[in-house]
Amino acid sequence: MKLTTDELVHFNKNRVEVNFRKGETIIKQGTFAGHIVYIRSGLVKVFKEHGEDELILSLEGRGKMIGLQAIYSNNIYPYSVSAYEDVSVCLLDINTLKYIIGNNAKFAEQILNIIIEESIFSHNRMACLSLKQLHGRFADLLLCLSLRIYRRKIFKVPLSKKDMALITNMSQESMSRVIKEFNDDKITEIHGNRISILDFEKVKRLSVVG
Amino acid sequence: MKLTTDELVHFNKNRVEVNFRKGETIIKQGTFAGHIVYIRSGLVKVFKEHGEDELILSLEGRGKMIGLQAIYSNNIYPYSVSAYEDVSVCLLDINTLKYIIGNNAKFAEQILNIIIEESIFSHNRMACLSLKQLHGRFADLLLCLSLRIYRRKIFKVPLSKKDMALITNMSQESMSRVIKEFNDDKITEIHGNRISILDFEKVKRLSVVG
DNA sequence: GACAACACTTGATTTATATCAAGTAATGTT
DNA sequence: AACATTACTTGATATAAATCAAGTGTTGTC
């Protein structure tokens, strides 16, 4: 990023490194937004709280910026974020960020690109949740983990079956049944928190078909 | 917006006014994005095409900018837009826009705000579609039309029941039944394309309850 | 090592909503 | 005006997936 020396100084002065333990809340929906969160390591969930139940908007890992939406909308975080495992983050002061955005067009452009990418992701997730059924939604979760988060076909996740059920917006029992079918059909090999994708093409096909 | 004279000249040189007839496609998902669309008048739907079926992302009317997502992502429109009624738009050259964003931080900031507002709207819509059932989803449509689009409690919509069913992601038959119940319960008075919201508080409550 | 608490599985039942079917009303066309 | 086409309604049936229920397996705690 093309920041001036002045801007860099500003940034470093207003940057804090923090660690969160598994399960901790990193951002609480509805609270005043003091900073933007940059994830250095660990998996988190971004979710909307809606009375009793919650809707998971996305999973985010290493290298992602979270909370940019708070720049607009009265500095209030429009969603919550919590840690699936121990997480290390960097907190960037929101006013510093706002200041630089308002003065450095190239920087603003990059933030814009991040938000736009998120926006498109969000549209796809909406389509996934509304149009697809159980198998398609789970296939999408597998693709997300494999392509976006771990960049592998075999990986360990800090997610319980219950978590995965929440992410794919289905009941725990349905999740259990879907996983069983995927394993029986040799599409995946899922034992405990270890996921191996055996037939990647089939997962892709299931994601498209729904 | 704080644009320099030079930028204004640029803009006016690369601005075209166009009219679309009811039903016409204004933006086609997957095509090369030449411009951003500013709606001068008329109601349009923004939707994702996904094989056979479609998912409506939002309704937009007078004063809205559409297609900003194409700035990022190889200048390809990530969704389609079509006219529910005769629509008048202004087309802004995407390269001009990009150029100004990259050089005028204040302008970039405003575009950023628009996208962020959209992003939050999109999250709410996702929650609506995934968490709520028929009545809650229809209540949300009523609120959207009444608060965001028409700013009235009584208005005429260019939408058929079929359209409304698509927007709320339910079957035409369910839409019919839900409208009947709303009318029977004196919550609304819907005849043809004329909608009167009689009990606004109840609509809000139904939207929250789901 | 016993016990509690929780994660997961699996089958039976229920439920919300889609689909099917068959009709009436509204609209457009020659 | 007659006819076709489409929009809408309404009841009956089908279905995907949730919930319920009753288990087993796993983990943590004193």
Side-chain angles (χ1 to χ4, degrees):
Chain A
M1 304 209 192
K2 284 157 199 148
L3 297 178
T4 65
T5 326
D6 192 41
E7 286 165 351
L8 278 170
V9 168
H10 242 283
F11 237 129
N12 280 313
K13 241 197 277 183
N14 299 291
R15 204 178 79 170
V16 199
E17 282 180 37
V18 187
N19 295 315
F20 288 92
R21 297 219 153 273
K22 180 186 169 100
E24 273 191 292
T25 296
I26 299 168
I27 284 178
K28 179 68 182 176
Q29 177 176 325
T31 62
F32 181 78
H35 29 248
I36 302 304
V37 175
Y38 175 85
I39 303 180
R40 292 159 56 80
S41 70
L43 188 69
V44 308
K45 69 169 166 182
V46 180
F47 62 107
K48 258 193 121 39
E49 303 190 43
H50 187 268
E52 279 301 89
D53 37 26
E54 67 181 50
L55 175 78
I56 295 176
L57 298 173
S58 69
L59 306 185
E60 304 291 353
R62 176 181 173 61
K64 294 291 174 59
M65 289 259 245
I66 304 179
L68 288 170
Q69 280 80 0
I71 291 172
Y72 173 90
S73 73
N74 317 323
N75 278 27
I76 299 293
Y77 291 120
Y79 44 65
S80 292
V81 178
S82 75
Y84 275 128
E85 61 191 327
D86 291 0
V87 162
S88 166
V89 308
C90 198
L91 303 179
L92 310 173
D93 179 66
I94 203 169
N95 291 317
T96 304
L97 205 82
K98 265 184 170 174
Y99 174 78
I100 301 180
I101 287 171
N103 289 281
N104 183 330
K106 296 295 175 205
F107 183 78
E109 204 178 10
Q110 293 196 29
I111 298 294
L112 189 58
N113 276 350
I114 293 173
I115 291 275
I116 286 176
E117 198 180 1
E118 258 186 49
S119 166
I120 291 172
F121 175 83
S122 163
H123 291 162
N124 285 329
R125 180 157 173 78
M126 209 191 301
C128 166
L129 290 180
S130 325
L131 262 28
K132 300 177 188 179
Q133 44 203 54
L134 299 188
H135 304 265
R137 297 210 297 276
F138 184 57
D140 270 12
L141 171 59
L142 291 172
L143 292 179
C144 168
L145 290 170
S146 177
L147 299 173
R148 230 170 69 93
I149 314 270
Y150 297 107
R151 294 153 202 276
R152 301 246 175 91
K153 285 186 182 179
I154 300 175
F155 45 85
K156 284 191 175 179
V157 290
L159 303 169
S160 66
K161 303 285 159 72
K162 216 173 180 172
D163 289 326
M164 292 199 274
L166 254 173
I167 296 166
T168 47
N169 202 37
M170 65 179 81
S171 71
Q172 204 183 155
E173 294 94 328
S174 292
M175 184 81 272
S176 220
R177 284 181 257 262
V178 170
I179 288 178
K180 197 184 181 224
E181 282 184 58
F182 271 58
N183 280 348
D184 285 353
D185 296 353
K186 310 280 181 214
I187 300 168
T188 55
E189 212 172 278
I190 301 174
H191 287 117
N193 56 8
R194 194 185 145 81
I195 296 179
S196 314
I197 298 178
L198 304 178
D199 190 343
F200 204 83
E201 288 310 312
K202 196 151 195 179
V203 175
K204 273 196 198 161
R205 219 172 321 129
L206 282 167
S207 156
V208 174
V209 175
Chain B
M1 305 209 192
K2 285 154 199 151
L3 296 179
T4 64
T5 325
D6 193 39
E7 286 165 351
L8 278 171
V9 169
H10 243 283
F11 238 130
N12 280 312
K13 239 197 278 181
N14 299 292
R15 205 179 79 170
V16 199
E17 282 180 38
V18 187
N19 295 315
F20 288 92
R21 297 222 153 270
K22 179 185 170 103
E24 272 191 290
T25 296
I26 298 167
I27 283 179
K28 179 67 181 176
Q29 178 175 324
T31 62
F32 181 78
H35 28 249
I36 302 304
V37 175
Y38 175 84
I39 304 180
R40 292 160 55 81
S41 70
L43 187 69
V44 307
K45 68 169 166 181
V46 180
F47 61 107
K48 259 192 120 40
E49 303 191 43
H50 186 270
E52 280 301 89
D53 35 29
E54 69 181 50
L55 175 78
I56 295 175
L57 299 173
S58 68
L59 306 185
E60 305 290 355
R62 177 179 173 61
K64 293 291 172 60
M65 287 258 245
I66 304 179
L68 287 170
Q69 279 80 0
I71 290 172
Y72 172 90
S73 74
N74 316 322
N75 279 24
I76 299 293
Y77 291 120
Y79 45 64
S80 293
V81 177
S82 76
Y84 275 128
E85 60 191 327
D86 291 359
V87 162
S88 164
V89 307
C90 198
L91 303 179
L92 310 173
D93 179 65
I94 202 168
N95 291 317
T96 305
L97 207 82
K98 264 183 170 176
Y99 173 80
I100 301 180
I101 288 171
N103 289 282
N104 182 333
K106 296 294 176 208
F107 183 78
E109 204 178 11
Q110 293 195 29
I111 298 293
L112 189 58
N113 276 350
I114 293 173
I115 291 275
I116 286 176
E117 197 181 2
E118 258 186 47
S119 166
I120 292 172
F121 175 84
S122 164
H123 292 162
N124 285 330
R125 179 154 173 82
M126 209 190 303
C128 165
L129 290 179
S130 325
L131 262 29
K132 299 178 189 178
Q133 41 204 54
L134 301 187
H135 304 266
R137 298 210 297 276
F138 184 56
D140 270 13
L141 171 59
L142 291 173
L143 292 180
C144 168
L145 290 170
S146 176
L147 298 173
R148 229 171 69 93
I149 313 271
Y150 296 107
R151 295 153 201 277
R152 302 247 174 90
K153 287 187 181 178
I154 300 174
F155 45 86
K156 282 191 177 179
V157 290
L159 303 168
S160 66
K161 302 283 160 71
K162 215 172 180 174
D163 289 326
M164 293 199 271
L166 253 173
I167 295 165
T168 47
N169 201 37
M170 67 179 81
S171 70
Q172 204 184 155
E173 293 94 329
S174 292
M175 185 81 270
S176 219
R177 282 181 259 261
V178 170
I179 288 178
K180 196 184 182 220
E181 281 185 58
F182 272 59
N183 279 348
D184 285 354
D185 296 353
K186 310 279 180 218
I187 301 167
T188 56
E189 214 172 277
I190 301 174
H191 287 117
N193 56 6
R194 193 185 146 82
I195 296 180
S196 314
I197 298 179
L198 303 178
D199 190 343
F200 204 83
E201 289 310 313
K202 196 150 195 179
V203 174
K204 273 196 197 160
R205 219 174 319 130
L206 283 167
S207 156
V208 175
V209 175

